[in-house]
């Protein structure tokens, strides 16, 4: 009888241990690294400030956009284009954070699906009625749609300005910018009023914990949004021929390389727990690896990111043009980025004892 009681007590203990709170209440992390410090640094010094900066840029875009639609002339068009470029760069610093409300509302799908569907945009404008929040319009909104509206609706600036004699073009442009601003406000408000606390305290090593989800989202962003979307797809890595028209910002035609470099710099800064490239190294994946005696891997990842950057810096300012003129350099940049994927997805996840939580669809 005593033996049965003893066995039953052991079973209860095991069950109790297995029911630690997946949202952060139980510490099932097998190492001693201070994940709370890492999450606090990410939230307070990286994620929230980047969202605030993007929101400020979008508010400026709203104001400058209103000035343009009130008086569509060359000076106002030039000003609007300049703010579009600076805000698109701000977006590159926010796109990796697909967690919390951003995940719920599919924020990134409403901000940067490219190539944009120009037929859908023109149909929306012609109809004068549309629901920009509908899934079917994800490729007719956000920065890529704005790129088309400011650079691609006609062949020359004079013809573009003539388009904006039509009230429907003015309205669609205004609605695009307003939606981007509203979506960003929703995500930012969630972080500052609710999700920050969840994010910082959800540090258990479980599939549903915020820290594990963030690690996975970070790698997914690098693998898909940066490596595949910016380089692999236009470079033809996943198709029989290159697809130059699937590059980013094809209507502007001057900024896609810079957007990619900003995105890569951001990935490295997040890895190193740094607010900017000139900031000191903070609590982040780098220090986490060092805590696990994997200084070698931390160094390798930074070196591989630096090597990928060198491959990207020699590309044409317009990645569409790069594909069309010398696609070999484009695929070499992709290959360099792929080495970083291996270090992230295999070596770093193994060191953190974190499992991949997404399906790899492109066979790498």
């Amino acid at each position: 009888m005593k033996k049965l009681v003893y066995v039953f007590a052991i079973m209860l203990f095991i069950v109790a241990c297995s029911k630690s709170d997946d949202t952060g209440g139980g510490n099932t992390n097998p190492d001693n690294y201070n994940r709370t410090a890492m999450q606090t640094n990410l939230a307070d010094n990286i994620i929230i400030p980047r969202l605030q900066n993007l929101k400020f840029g979008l508010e400026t875009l709203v104001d400058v956009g209103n000035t343009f639609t009130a008086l569509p002339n060359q000076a106002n068009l030039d000003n609007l284009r300049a703010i579009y470029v600076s805000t698109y760069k701000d977006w590159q610093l926010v796109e990796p954070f697909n967690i919390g409300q951003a995940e719920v509302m599919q924020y990134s799908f409403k901000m940067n699906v490219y190539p944009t569907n120009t037929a859908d945009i023109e149909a929306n404008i012609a109809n004068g009625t549309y629901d920009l929040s509908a899934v079917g319009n994800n490729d007719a909104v956000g920065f890529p749609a704005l790129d088309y509206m400011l650079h691609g609706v006609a062949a020359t600036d004079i013809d573009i300005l003539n388009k904006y004699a039509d009230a429907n073009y003015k309205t669609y442009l205004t609605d695009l910018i307003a939606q981007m601003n509203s979506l960003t406000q929703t995500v930012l408000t969630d972080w500052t009023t609710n999700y920050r606390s969840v994010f910082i305290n959800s540090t258990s090593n479980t599939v549903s914990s915020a820290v594990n989800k963030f690690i996975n989202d970070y790698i997914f962003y690098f693998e898909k949004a940066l490596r595949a979307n910016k380089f692999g797809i236009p470079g033809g890595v996943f198709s029989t021929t290159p697809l130059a028209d699937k590059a980013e910002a094809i209507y502007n035609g001057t900024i896609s390389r810079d957007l990619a470099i900003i995105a890569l710099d951001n990935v490295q800064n997040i890895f190193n727990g740094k607010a900017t490239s000139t900031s000191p190294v903070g609590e982040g994946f780098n220090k986490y690896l060092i805590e696990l005696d994997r200084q070698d891997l931390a160094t390798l990842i930074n070196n591989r990111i630096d090597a990928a950057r060198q491959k990207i810096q020699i590309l044409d300012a317009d990645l569409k043009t790069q594909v069309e003129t010398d696609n070999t350099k484009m695929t070499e940049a992709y290959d360099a980025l792929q080495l970083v994927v291996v270090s992230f997805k295999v070596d770093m996840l193994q060191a953190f004892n974190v499992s991949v939580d997404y399906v790899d669809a492109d066979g790498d």
Side-chain angles (χ1 to χ4, degrees), residues 231 234-235 242-244 247 318-327 330:
F231 295 93
L243 304 170
D318 179 30
L319 295 183
K320 178 179 182 292
T321 300
Q322 184 63 59
V323 171
E324 293 169 340
T325 58
D326 186 359
N327 192 48
M330 190 77 165

Side-chain angles (χ1 to χ4, degrees), residues 286 289-299 347 350-351:
N286 187 332
L289 288 172
I290 293 172
E291 175 72 23
L292 298 172
D293 292 327
R294 290 306 311 271
Q295 173 73 66
D296 60 324
L297 179 56
T299 300
D347 301 328
Q350 185 177 57

Side-chain angles (χ1 to χ4, degrees), residues 40-355:
T40 302
N41 182 45
L42 286 169
D44 292 349
N45 298 320
I46 297 176
I47 299 174
I48 293 175
R50 284 174 178 31
L51 281 165
Q52 291 170 331
N53 194 52
L54 176 62
K55 183 63 172 66
F56 177 80
L58 287 169
E59 288 171 350
T60 304
L61 195 63
V62 169
D63 292 340
V64 177
N66 289 338
T67 299
F68 171 73
T69 54
L71 183 61
N73 60 28
Q74 188 66 52
N76 289 338
L77 177 61
D78 290 343
N79 288 339
L80 184 55
R81 284 171 168 173
I83 301 301
Y84 148 82
V85 169
S86 65
T87 311
Y88 207 170
K89 291 178 178 179
D90 292 338
W91 164 253
Q92 304 299 318
L93 305 181
V94 168
E95 192 169 1
F97 311 136
N98 186 40
I99 195 168
Q101 189 62 30
E103 180 183 18
V104 172
M105 63 197 292
Q106 295 189 314
Y107 182 45
S108 63
F109 286 114
K110 299 180 187 301
M111 294 289 282
N112 199 35
V113 169
Y114 58 91
T116 197
N117 190 321
T118 59
D120 284 354
I121 292 174
E122 293 292 350
N124 286 340
I125 293 171
N127 293 335
T129 57
Y130 38 77
D131 178 6
L132 295 186
S133 65
V135 173
N137 271 324
N138 281 355
D139 59 357
V141 296
F143 285 103
L146 195 54
D147 181 32
Y148 173 71
M149 294 293 290
L150 297 182
H151 304 93
V153 291
T156 68
D157 282 2
I158 291 175
D159 291 335
I160 289 173
L161 291 172
N162 287 337
K163 286 281 187 178
Y164 285 96
D166 184 337
N168 282 8
Y169 276 88
K170 293 179 181 179
T171 300
Y172 198 75
L173 179 67
T174 300
D175 289 347
L176 279 179
I177 298 172
Q179 186 199 37
M180 295 163 71
N181 188 39
S182 176
L183 290 169
T184 302
Q185 181 63 67
T186 299
V187 174
L188 176 59
T189 299
D190 183 56
W191 269 99
T192 55
T193 63
N194 172 56
Y195 194 68
R196 176 188 177 276
S197 177
V198 174
F199 184 76
I200 289 173
N201 292 300
S202 181
T203 58
S204 297
N205 192 359
T206 59
V207 172
S208 61
S209 71
V211 64
N212 284 23
K213 289 180 70 175
F214 180 80
I215 292 169
N216 268 283
D217 289 346
Y218 169 81
I219 296 172
F220 180 83
Y221 164 79
F222 183 87
E223 181 180 6
K224 305 300 179 183
L226 203 166
R227 179 211 58 153
N229 291 357
K230 294 183 191 299
F231 295 93
I233 292 174
V237 173
F238 311 112
S239 55
T240 55
T241 58
L243 304 170
D245 287 343
K246 293 186 180 295
E248 197 167 15
I250 59 174
Y251 298 103
N252 171 280
T254 65
I255 62 170
S256 51
R257 180 196 60 198
D258 289 347
L259 295 180
I261 292 173
I262 290 168
L264 185 64
D265 289 347
N266 187 44
V267 165
Q268 189 167 34
N269 288 336
I270 295 169
F271 176 77
N272 291 317
K274 299 170 62 172
T276 69
S277 296
T278 57
S279 301
V281 173
E283 296 299 331
F285 302 149
N286 187 332
K287 285 194 173 182
Y288 195 169
L289 288 172
I290 293 172
E291 175 72 23
L292 298 172
D293 292 327
R294 290 306 311 271
Q295 173 73 66
D296 60 324
L297 179 56
T299 300
L300 177 64
I301 288 172
N302 272 313
N303 288 344
R304 283 183 165 178
I305 292 174
D306 290 341
R309 183 183 296 104
Q310 291 176 2
K311 293 290 186 180
I312 297 170
Q313 286 172 333
I314 64 173
L315 300 178
D316 191 274
D318 179 30
L319 295 183
K320 178 179 182 292
T321 300
Q322 184 63 59
V323 171
E324 293 169 340
T325 58
D326 186 359
N327 192 48
T328 298
K329 290 180 180 177
M330 190 77 165
T331 57
E332 287 175 349
Y334 170 88
D335 290 341
L337 292 167
Q338 175 60 17
L339 292 177
V340 183
V341 170
V342 174
S343 293
F344 278 156
K345 196 173 180 180
V346 178
D347 301 328
M348 188 171 79
L349 283 183
Q350 185 177 57
F352 293 164
N353 193 29
V354 170
S355 299

